[in-house]
């Protein structure tokens, strides 16, 4: 029941939040901008659903969004949604590349069955390089030069700054790395060589104040990994992957550059600059001007259409139009419910899902106390503070989402009730 669930979450290291007041939400924000969120305002209430967080926890995103909409409907909430998307769209990325003379097409994750894999914490955050490697720790995201991409985008040029980025990457659940190759040692990373020799000067990027060996030593000393590539470049295509927490793996016998564009958002980078720098890197290294931009199978337009089919007023807005409202997700903020009421919680800045971490259990069909404890620990391991909530009038049954779930209101949607 609600008390048992709350106790399990708290015993596993989570937080119990208590809401107060009556529901008066006027709108539902469905936020698809990774690692951003909105904050509740009890004087101007809104439901806040961080749709990107469903991808982070490997949930079935269409089911997650349908369940969120059904929750609002069953609770008598507003059938009005604003779907918040990044200002740069896949179509704009394709158009920008085509303007540089590239052949660029958009493909869905469904068309990449068997190629996209889940990102794993034991996999190194590595370079986009498609050659063979001595690395066996696969499954990490890929960015130009590995973690050098983060420093480059932020204008970080010092050894100390590079060490801090190494630690930041580890704190966000990835194994940081840079690389060399067997012919040029640590200058075998084409991205770093371009950067240190000033090929990015005319794009406004300051050069690093360290050489390739110093950079590699700094990363290794701060807990990172040094990867060594072998063979010659023979990449035929550049994959720009926008499907969160998924990646592709290199194949030295069928080479491709792999740029996990979603990872730029995770580290708060300037995404357009990141993608332009990636394209410029491929061009300066003589790589293929051919790109496949991989997107989720469900698009913002399809989300809006599905909601409109349920009688909702739904519109798509960009993050640029939400200036001053979208905030960076912070690890000290609780992963909390979408509930727009006032709260005793002061740890703001966490992502929002129906019922807090109950949304993850619900989507996965996890109904046991032990399973709930494991999810609590998983959420913490991914850099968030797990929570569930009650309210001051109904105690732990004050979470409408959990009450609907435990009383069987989701039965006809195929969700088993919690035990």
């Amino acid at each position: 029941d609600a008390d048992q669930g709350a106790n399990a979450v708290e015993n596993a290291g989570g937080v119990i939040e208590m809401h107060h007041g009556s529901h008066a939400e006027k709108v539902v924000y469905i936020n698809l901008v990774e690692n951003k969120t909105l904050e509740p305002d009890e004087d101007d209430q809104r439901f806040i659903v961080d749709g990107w967080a469903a991808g982070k926890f490997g949930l079935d995103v269409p089911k997650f969004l349908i369940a969120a909409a059904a929750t609002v409907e069953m609770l008598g909430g507003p059938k009005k949604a604003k779907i918040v998307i990044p200002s740069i769209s896949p179509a704009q990325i394709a158009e920008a590349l085509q303007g540089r003379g590239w052949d660029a097409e958009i493909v869905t994750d469904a068309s990449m069955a068997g190629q996209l894999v889940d990102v794993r914490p034991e996999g190194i955050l590595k370079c986009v390089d498609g050659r063979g490697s001595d690395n066996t720790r696969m499954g990490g995201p890929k960015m130009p030069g590995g973690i050098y991409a983060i420093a480059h985008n932020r204008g970080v040029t010092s050894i100390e700054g590079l060490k801090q980025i190494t630690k930041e990457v580890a704190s966000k659940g990835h194994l940081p790395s840079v690389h060399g190759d067997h012919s040029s040692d640590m200058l075998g990373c084409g991205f770093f060589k371009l950067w240190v020799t000033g090929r990015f000067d005319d794009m406004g990027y300051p050069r690093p104040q360290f050489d390739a060996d110093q950079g590699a030593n700094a990363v290794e000393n701060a807990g990172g990994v040094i990867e060594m590539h072998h063979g010659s470049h023979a990449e035929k295509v550049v994959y720009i992957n926008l499907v969160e927490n998924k990646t592709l793996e290199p194949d030295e016998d069928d080479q491709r550059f792999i740029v996990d564009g979603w990872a730029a958002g995770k580290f708060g980078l300037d995404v357009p600059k990141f993608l332009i720098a990636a394209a410029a890197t491929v061009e300066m290294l003589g790589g293929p001007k051919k790109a496949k931009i991989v997107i989720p199978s469900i698009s913002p337009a399809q989300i809006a259409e599905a909601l409109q089919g349920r009688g909702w007023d739904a519109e798509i807005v960009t993050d640029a139009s939400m200036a001053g409202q979208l905030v960076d997700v912070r690890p000290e903020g609780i992963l909390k419910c979408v509930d727009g009421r006032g709260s005793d919680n002061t740890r703001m800045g966490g992502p929002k899902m129906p019922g807090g971490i109950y949304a993850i259990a619900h989507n996965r069909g996890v109904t046991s106390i032990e399973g709930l404890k494991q999810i609590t620990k998983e959420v913490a391991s991914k850099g968030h503070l797990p929570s569930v909530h009650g309210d001051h009038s109904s105690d732990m049954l004050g979470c409408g989402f959990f009450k609907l779930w435990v009383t069987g209101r989701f039965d006809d949607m195929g969700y088993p009730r919690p035990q």
Side-chain angles (χ1 to χ4, degrees), residues 166 178 215-226:
T166 304
V178 295
N217 288 337
V219 170
E220 195 167 32
N221 290 338
V225 172
I226 307 304

Side-chain angles (χ1 to χ4, degrees), residues 27-32 47-52 54 59-81 303 307 310 312 337-339 352-356 358-360 362-363 400-401 404 410 413 415:
V27 64
V28 181
Y29 281 94
I30 299 172
N31 173 38
L32 305 180
F47 288 112
I48 302 159
V49 181
D50 284 316
W52 61 265
L59 306 188
D60 182 318
V61 177
K63 281 180 64 178
F64 171 85
L65 294 174
I66 291 167
T71 299
V72 173
E73 293 163 2
M74 289 189 282
L75 294 176
K79 295 174 73 171
K80 179 180 179 180
I303 295 169
L307 289 170
R310 300 174 73 99
W312 287 53
C337 187
V338 303
D339 193 313
K352 295 158 189 74
M353 307 171 81
Y358 282 142
I360 301 172
H362 181 262
N363 190 274
F401 177 80
L404 293 171
F410 290 110
M413 295 174 66
Y415 291 99

Side-chain angles (χ1 to χ4, degrees), residues 45-382:
Q45 291 183 30
R46 54 197 177 183
F47 288 112
I48 302 159
V49 181
D50 284 316
W52 61 265
K56 179 166 188 174
F57 291 98
L59 306 188
D60 182 318
V61 177
K63 281 180 64 178
F64 171 85
L65 294 174
I66 291 167
T71 299
V72 173
E73 293 163 2
M74 289 189 282
L75 294 176
K79 295 174 73 171
K80 179 180 179 180
K82 291 181 182 285
I83 302 160
V84 189
I85 64 170
S87 294
I88 184 168
S89 69
Q92 288 171 313
I93 296 169
E95 185 178 352
L97 289 170
Q98 289 160 355
R100 300 175 73 99
W102 288 54
D103 171 17
E105 64 172 318
I106 296 170
V107 299
T108 67
D109 53 0
S111 72
M112 301 287 294
Q115 296 190 67
L116 279 177
V117 298
D118 290 336
V119 165
R120 298 183 299 137
E122 61 269 27
I124 64 171
L125 189 157
K126 65 179 258 83
C127 187
V128 303
D129 194 313
R131 295 176 293 170
S133 162
D134 63 356
N135 170 53
T136 58
R137 288 166 283 196
M138 293 297 184
K142 295 159 189 73
M143 306 171 81
I147 71 164
Y148 283 143
I150 301 172
H152 181 262
N153 190 272
R154 294 177 179 170
V156 172
T157 61
S158 69
I159 283 290
E160 187 55 38
L162 186 62
K163 288 179 179 178
Q164 289 304 313
I165 289 170
T166 304
K167 293 173 184 176
E168 175 191 350
V169 169
S171 75
K172 291 189 175 179
H174 303 296
L175 191 55
S177 84
V178 295
H179 81 92
D181 71 16
H182 291 157
S183 63
S184 302
D185 203 44
M186 293 315 302
L187 265 181
C189 173
F191 177 80
F192 183 81
K193 187 173 183 179
L194 293 170
W195 185 21
V196 78
T197 56
R199 297 291 298 278
F200 291 109
D201 286 1
D202 61 354
M203 295 173 67
Y205 291 99
R207 303 185 197 186
Q209 298 167 13
F210 49 86
D211 64 25
D213 290 327
Q214 291 169 328
N217 288 337
V219 170
E220 195 167 32
N221 290 338
V225 172
I226 307 304
E227 177 186 28
M228 296 302 285
H229 287 271
H230 56 254
S232 300
H233 281 286
E235 292 88 353
K236 305 180 185 75
V237 64
V238 181
Y239 281 93
I240 299 172
N241 172 38
L242 305 180
V243 184
E244 188 188 355
N245 288 300
K246 298 283 187 177
T247 191
L248 295 97
E249 293 296 21
D251 178 351
E252 63 183 302
D253 298 319
D254 186 15
Q255 290 183 29
R256 54 198 178 182
F257 288 111
I258 302 159
V259 181
D260 283 316
W262 62 264
K266 179 166 187 174
F267 290 98
L269 306 188
D270 182 319
V271 177
K273 280 181 64 178
F274 172 85
L275 294 174
I276 291 167
T281 299
V282 172
E283 293 163 2
M284 289 189 283
L285 293 176
K289 295 174 74 171
K290 179 180 179 181
K292 291 181 184 285
I293 302 160
V294 188
I295 64 171
S297 294
I298 183 168
S299 69
Q302 289 171 314
I303 295 169
E305 186 178 351
L307 289 170
Q308 289 159 353
R310 300 174 73 99
W312 287 53
D313 172 16
E315 65 172 318
I316 297 170
V317 299
T318 67
D319 53 1
S321 72
M322 301 288 293
Q325 296 189 66
L326 278 177
V327 298
D328 291 336
V329 166
R330 297 183 299 137
E332 62 268 27
I334 64 171
L335 189 158
K336 65 178 258 82
C337 187
V338 303
D339 193 313
R341 294 177 294 169
S343 160
D344 64 354
N345 170 52
T346 58
R347 287 166 284 195
M348 294 296 183
K352 295 158 189 74
M353 307 171 81
I357 70 165
Y358 282 142
I360 301 172
H362 181 262
N363 190 274
R364 294 177 180 171
V366 173
T367 61
S368 69
I369 285 291
E370 187 54 39
L372 186 62
K373 288 180 179 178
Q374 290 303 313
I375 288 171
T376 304
K377 294 173 183 176
E378 175 191 350
V379 169
S381 74
K382 291 190 174 180

